[in-house]
């Protein structure tokens, strides 16, 4: 995000489901300058991705995947 150390960011945790069964957890960090009203959104009505794409065109994305076997 090219932010200075200790700059606040928004953090969302997203549970992806298939047939109402949780299959994936996603963590997303968002720069508040790009989406200043992020915390006021109702993400039961719109997805985080949908909101962010409406706020700003995508300029860079970092995607990290980690797989674990659940208990």
């Amino acid at each position: 995000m090219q932010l200075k150390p200790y700059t606040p960011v928004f953090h969302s945790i997203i549970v992806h489901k298939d047939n109402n069964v949780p299959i994936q957890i996603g963590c997303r960090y968002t720069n508040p300058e790009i989406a200043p009203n992020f915390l006021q959104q109702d993400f039961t009505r719109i997805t985080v991705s949908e909101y962010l794409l409406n706020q700003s065109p995508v300029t860079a994305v970092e995607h990290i995947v980690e797989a674990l076997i659940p208990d």
Side-chain angles (χ1 to χ4, degrees):
M1 285 192 223
Q2 299 178 347
L3 299 173
K4 293 180 182 177
Y6 305 105
T7 300
V9 297
F10 298 137
H11 178 219
S12 55
I13 299 172
I14 304 158
V15 178
H16 300 271
K17 296 180 180 181
D18 182 30
N19 292 322
N20 213 27
V21 175
I23 59 167
Q24 179 182 354
I25 295 177
C27 293
R28 177 171 291 156
Y29 297 90
T30 302
N31 183 340
E33 288 186 21
I34 292 172
N37 296 317
F38 185 86
L39 298 179
Q40 286 73 45
Q41 303 311 303
D42 179 356
F43 291 118
T44 64
R45 297 180 171 269
I46 185 172
T47 67
V48 173
S49 295
E50 210 173 341
Y51 171 72
L52 292 173
L53 288 171
N54 285 327
Q55 296 304 300
S56 177
V58 176
T59 57
V61 174
E62 180 179 350
H63 203 85
I64 300 172
V65 177
E66 179 180 355
L68 302 171
I69 297 175
D71 295 339

